Amino acid sequence: MKKSLSLIAVAAMSLTACTQSDVIEENVQSNNAIGFNTMVNRGSRAIESNTFKQFYVFGNYHSDSKPAAPVEVFTGTSVTRENTTDGTPWTYTGKRYWINGAKYYFSAYAIDGGTIEKGTPVYTHDDAGKYTFKISDFICDHTQQKDLVYAAAGSFESPIVGKNEDNAVVPFAFKHVLSRLDFVFKTNFPEGYKVTISSVTVQDVRNKATFTGKQYAADANVSADAVGSWSEPERVPETPYISVPFETGANMTIDNTMTDGLRSGFVYVIPYHYKTLAQNGKGVAIQFTVLVKDPAGNEVLNKQLAGRWRPMWDMNKTYTYTININGEASGLEEIQFSGSVGDWVTGTPANPSFDLGAGELPSIEPQA
């Protein structure tokens, strides 16, 4: 009996990775107070341009007289706007002003929903006054499923220099620093069979890590994979999972006429290249319950299926996995028949021979 799932074989999962490079520019301010504008790359967004209303900024400056003694200007300060459709500027409580000749550098982050519930943003500097932005012990699993973006403007080597007037706003080109997944379910069951999918989860993800954001020049065209890096993530606890969402009211039943299949919502994961089996890698798993009914409405299968693979996830990329479900792959045995025709058997006649004289024929008695 063939038991291997096309799902479990994972080769049946088709994967596409899309880099996101388009940007949306919003807001310009032009006074001597420190102001901000933002760009958020399109495509793999949960933080949408029409809902992006808050980010948090860290910033400091150095003076020539005390280059190793930075002055903190923003310390995780909330920057908000009331709406996103009419060019409303970003604002914050308590204006800060540019200092002529001072050298500034800034880091900012935003998370879908406003605040990081599991993870600690920190901004520290070394003895030379160089700052480093981190989000320590960030959790990304079923307890925190939020898009996370990061941007920098100015660095110790390429600062923004303050002027007496005509200072430009601080430009933040935010990049997504997580990976994003979705799943498409299809079936190859015969015509008339209905397959219902439920309880979809991604199991054994590495869910805890620290993000370190890089500092770079305000006008630098930095690619998504160059804005920062993640430490090697760990599993806390040993079997963390993520529930895969679907649109509210979605029809979770599919058949072989649905060429587009059933598409899930998105889940976010920490970018990581999982180790191979040869490296004793555990990988991750997609797990779900499948209920199959035949054309007469009889239940022929109701069980939990799971497939394991070892992905290579990068920052700011969306990965779509297609899962094909059929009878054998789901653990069902097809009803089969066999047939054969036996060889001819040599029979023994009742009168195996006749003695015939020349010109004579045997007489045959007529039968009643």
Side-chain angles (χ1 to χ4, degrees):
M1 176 174 60
K2 185 177 179 181
K3 287 272 190 180
S4 61
L5 276 158
S6 56
L7 161 69
I8 288 178
V10 182
M13 291 187 177
S14 62
L15 179 150
T16 58
C18 304
T19 58
Q20 314 301 331
S21 57
D22 294 340
V23 297
I24 297 174
E25 185 169 351
E26 327 236 10
N27 270 318
V28 175
Q29 303 175 10
S30 58
N31 55 44
N32 204 44
I34 298 175
F36 303 96
N37 70 2
T38 60
M39 293 186 293
V40 181
N41 59 310
R42 298 175 188 251
S44 66
R45 301 174 298 177
I47 297 179
E48 299 280 355
S49 60
N50 61 353
T51 59
F52 185 31
K53 292 185 177 181
Q54 184 178 34
F55 63 89
Y56 298 88
V57 62
F58 295 84
N60 55 81
Y61 71 83
H62 291 257
S63 64
D64 289 336
S65 60
K66 296 181 179 180
V71 177
E72 292 183 342
V73 184
F74 297 95
T75 55
T77 303
S78 173
V79 182
T80 61
R81 58 181 175 179
E82 293 184 0
N83 59 67
T84 62
T85 58
D86 62 359
T88 301
W90 293 97
T91 62
Y92 52 86
T93 302
K95 288 185 177 181
R96 283 77 153 171
Y97 293 90
W98 295 100
I99 305 299
N100 185 46
K103 299 175 180 178
Y104 292 81
Y105 31 98
F106 304 89
S107 289
Y109 76 92
I111 189 167
D112 185 28
T115 59
I116 294 177
E117 298 173 0
K118 296 188 176 184
T120 305
V122 292
Y123 200 51
T124 59
H125 66 84
D126 60 19
D127 293 339
K130 294 183 179 180
Y131 270 75
T132 299
F133 172 80
K134 291 185 177 183
I135 302 177
S136 298
D137 299 330
F138 183 79
I139 297 293
C140 188
D141 58 18
H142 71 286
T143 65
Q144 183 166 251
Q145 274 292 289
K146 297 180 178 181
D147 191 11
L148 178 65
V149 297
Y150 170 77
S155 66
F156 191 81
E157 295 78 10
S158 302
I160 298 174
V161 180
K163 300 184 292 185
N164 283 326
E165 58 184 5
D166 296 328
N167 290 279
V169 296
V170 178
F172 282 130
F174 286 96
K175 304 289 186 181
H176 300 270
V177 299
L178 295 172
S179 304
R180 194 174 74 161
L181 321 177
D182 67 344
F183 299 88
V184 177
F185 291 86
K186 296 183 177 183
T187 179
N188 294 324
F189 269 90
E191 182 178 355
Y193 279 76
K194 302 293 183 180
V195 179
T196 301
I197 308 298
S198 63
S199 304
V200 185
T201 60
V202 180
Q203 299 282 334
D204 298 329
V205 293
R206 290 180 175 262
N207 63 326
K208 181 180 179 181
T210 293
F211 173 76
T212 301
K214 294 182 180 179
Q215 298 287 152
Y216 44 87
D219 58 352
N221 186 18
V222 179
S223 62
D225 58 356
V227 300
S229 61
W230 288 91
S231 64
E232 181 171 343
E234 57 184 306
R235 294 181 175 96
V236 180
E238 292 184 0
T239 56
Y241 70 93
I242 300 171
S243 296
V244 178
F246 289 83
E247 184 178 339
T248 301
N251 181 7
M252 301 295 288
T253 300
I254 59 176
D255 58 38
N256 66 3
T257 67
M258 299 172 61
T259 57
D260 293 335
L262 170 67
R263 182 179 290 271
S264 76
F266 294 103
V267 299
Y268 296 93
V269 292
I270 293 174
Y272 182 62
H273 289 197
Y274 282 74
K275 296 178 180 179
T276 65
L277 181 62
Q279 298 169 319
N280 296 320
K282 182 178 181 180
V284 300
I286 177 74
Q287 180 174 288
F288 57 94
T289 297
V290 59
L291 171 65
V292 181
K293 292 185 178 181
D294 65 16
N298 300 308
E299 182 179 309
V300 296
L301 179 69
N302 188 352
K303 67 183 295 186
Q304 186 180 82
L305 303 179
R308 187 168 296 277
W309 82 108
R310 291 163 181 83
M312 299 175 68
W313 293 328
D314 294 318
M315 286 193 298
N316 196 57
K317 290 186 178 180
T318 295
Y319 298 88
T320 295
Y321 295 92
T322 297
I323 301 171
N324 292 298
I325 306 168
N326 59 52
E328 291 180 351
S330 301
L332 293 177
E333 285 192 51
E334 179 184 359
I335 298 175
Q336 297 179 339
F337 300 92
S338 65
S340 63
V341 177
D343 293 336
W344 289 98
V345 177
T346 301
T348 302
N351 297 304
S353 63
F354 298 94
D355 294 326
L356 298 178
E360 294 182 359
L361 291 176
S363 59
I364 302 176
E365 296 295 330
Q367 296 182 3

